[in-house]
Amino acid sequence: MRALLALEDGLILEGRSFTGPGETSGEVIFNTGMTGYQEVLTDPSYAGQMVAMTYPLMGNYGVNQEDVESHRIFVEGFIVKECCKTPSNWRAIASLPDYLAEQGVMGIEGIDTRALTRHLRLQGAKRGIISTEVGDPQALVERAKSLPSMEGQNLAEVVSPSGPYTWDGTRPQPATLAADGSYAWPGLAHGERGIRVLVYDFGIKWNILRLLQEQGMDLLVVPAGFTASQVRSVRPDAVFLSNGPGDPAALTGCIEQLTALTQEYPMAGICLGHQLLGHALGGSTFKLKFGHHGMNHPVKDLASGHIEVSSQNHGFCVDIDTLADVTLTHMNLNDNTLEGFAHNKLPVIAIQYHPEASPGPHDSRNFFRRFRNLAVTTSGIAAPAE
């Protein structure tokens, strides 16, 4: 079925829908991962975006129940050179086209993704529309121009859960109320007192929860609107801020709450959480030209000199020049943007990239151990056995 991809700057590419008729729109970006398309599709950080994969073949291993990073697909559209309709993998339970169509997400193939990627690298991420319903390219371009810009959008509150939940190792479970009216900690499976970590879910990937739990942490996950007073009421040992979509500067209410919490608890943040901590500490963020999206971005650990190959997905960045009283810990070797910092006086650490890196690579997973040690040292609780 013929489909058009139209960008706001006038670029028109013709392809074929492999999910049936329809129309969708969003910010068009590219991802450099060769595999991991199911993790990309279910990453809430991609809300509001249509993702073009630079690797030419997608779908050859199908989809399965184990590799999802949330409860549904969050990308607005999926753009590929070629989609494999008949997967070959022992874990596959469905094909990529069926998976997208079942959830009402458009997929388009036959696109020259090399040309599209080059265009986005030169011109920057663009608003765009995919349509099988409108055959007039210029009409689609005009409609793309009227789409909301990613700057100023508070998408984290859109994807954030409606209420607190706990993590049972595989799926979220509704949190229960304690006798005092606050939310109860789930307790570790073996009944011991774990490191009680309150996790803000701005669009979290489930592998973050898995890896926090592996570090002996007892998790209570809360929505973006959870206030500082509510945090105090459940008495956590530490606070963790997740990844998520949209413009961090738009979360003004959340930043105000986090500014207070940085003075009271050990804290760590990943991706959007990193950016929000930057704001909470008095810094600012800016939009990158075309963002960092993929599983092959080199990051330098400034303390050790080691290079980590990292998984990344962000369109905004903390401005190094606006941060005070922090030590820069990690830098991106492609464009020298900030990838991590630690506060000089407060127990606060943050990184911009994804150490949970599902499906990979796993170079950066020591960040979870760093957070564990920070929480144990600061709170003074007895650490669970490793």
Side-chain angles (χ1 to χ4, degrees):
M1 180 175 292
R2 178 177 182 265
L4 294 179
L5 167 63
L7 303 189
E8 62 179 295
D9 62 357
L11 179 69
I12 304 291
L13 293 172
E14 182 175 334
R16 303 176 301 278
S17 168
F18 58 85
T19 53
E23 187 172 288
T24 189
S25 62
E27 182 183 54
V28 181
I29 59 165
F30 62 88
N31 183 293
T32 57
M34 295 175 65
T35 60
Y37 52 80
Q38 189 172 358
E39 291 87 343
V40 168
L41 293 170
T42 56
D43 181 351
S45 296
Y46 283 109
Q49 296 178 313
M50 301 196 296
V51 180
M53 303 298 290
T54 60
Y55 193 70
L57 177 64
M58 289 289 135
N60 56 313
Y61 55 85
V63 297
N64 60 72
Q65 295 178 326
E66 292 79 29
D67 291 344
V68 296
E69 284 297 321
S70 67
H71 65 283
R72 67 175 178 88
I73 295 174
F74 278 91
V75 303
E76 305 298 332
F78 201 48
I79 305 165
V80 301
K81 177 67 172 69
E82 180 183 352
C83 176
C84 177
K85 316 303 190 296
T86 307
S88 177
N89 186 279
W90 65 275
R91 294 198 305 159
I93 60 171
S95 69
L96 177 57
D98 289 344
Y99 183 58
L100 289 165
E102 180 185 3
Q103 299 195 37
V105 178
M106 284 201 69
I108 183 174
E109 68 174 339
I111 295 293
D112 187 341
T113 48
R114 292 183 300 176
L116 177 59
T117 299
R118 178 170 172 77
H119 183 82
L120 296 177
R121 280 184 57 88
L122 293 173
Q123 306 301 325
K126 298 295 179 185
R127 294 167 292 179
I129 294 179
I130 295 173
S131 180
T132 64
E133 300 172 349
V134 178
D136 181 356
Q138 196 54 44
L140 289 176
V141 171
E142 293 303 315
R143 288 174 55 191
K145 291 178 181 178
S146 67
L147 294 172
S149 170
M150 187 59 70
E151 291 179 278
Q153 287 201 60
N154 182 347
L155 294 176
E157 290 190 351
V158 175
V159 304
S160 188
S162 58
Y165 64 89
T166 59
W167 178 253
D168 69 0
T170 57
R171 289 290 188 274
Q173 302 294 331
T176 57
L177 287 172
D180 60 1
S182 66
Y183 289 94
W185 293 93
L188 296 181
H190 48 70
E192 295 179 5
R193 163 79 154 86
I195 306 166
R196 291 180 173 174
V197 176
L198 183 137
V199 180
Y200 271 94
D201 181 349
F202 302 114
I204 200 166
K205 293 173 67 179
W206 284 352
N207 206 42
I208 291 176
L209 298 174
R210 297 183 188 105
L211 294 176
L212 287 172
Q213 199 171 63
E214 282 183 12
Q215 291 295 325
M217 296 180 181
D218 202 0
L219 306 180
L220 178 63
V221 190
V222 301
F226 213 69
T227 66
S229 61
Q230 287 177 300
V231 172
R232 298 183 190 106
S233 73
V234 296
R235 300 180 295 278
D237 300 312
V239 175
F240 189 93
L241 311 182
S242 82
N243 60 295
D247 185 349
L251 279 74
T252 53
C254 183
I255 291 169
E256 182 180 351
Q257 302 301 311
L258 296 178
T259 299
L261 293 175
T262 58
Q263 307 298 315
E264 304 175 42
Y265 299 99
M267 296 183 71
I270 290 174
C271 199
L272 180 65
H274 168 273
Q275 297 161 9
L276 291 173
L277 281 173
H279 277 281
L281 295 172
S284 63
T285 52
F286 62 93
K287 194 174 191 305
L288 294 165
K289 184 176 181 180
F290 48 80
H292 300 164
H293 312 279
M295 296 176 287
N296 45 17
H297 293 254
V299 169
K300 184 173 183 178
D301 182 329
L302 299 179
S304 66
H306 294 165
I307 309 301
E308 301 172 12
V309 178
S310 69
S311 176
Q312 303 209 4
N313 175 26
H314 60 277
F316 292 83
C317 185
V318 175
D319 187 345
I320 296 174
D321 296 331
T322 64
L323 287 177
D325 217 8
V326 302
T327 297
L328 308 184
T329 58
H330 296 81
M331 295 288 293
N332 188 297
L333 295 183
N334 286 336
D335 60 8
N336 294 320
T337 53
L338 178 64
E339 293 283 0
F341 64 81
H343 199 274
N344 295 334
K345 298 176 182 177
L346 302 172
V348 175
I349 58 173
I351 55 174
Q352 179 61 73
Y353 52 102
H354 284 265
E356 82 287 350
S358 182
H362 301 159
D363 298 21
S364 309
R365 287 196 173 178
N366 65 327
F367 179 75
F368 295 98
R369 182 183 294 270
R370 284 178 59 205
F371 176 52
R372 175 185 187 275
N373 292 341
L374 183 71
V376 168
T377 302
T378 307
S379 64
I381 65 172
E386 297 187 33

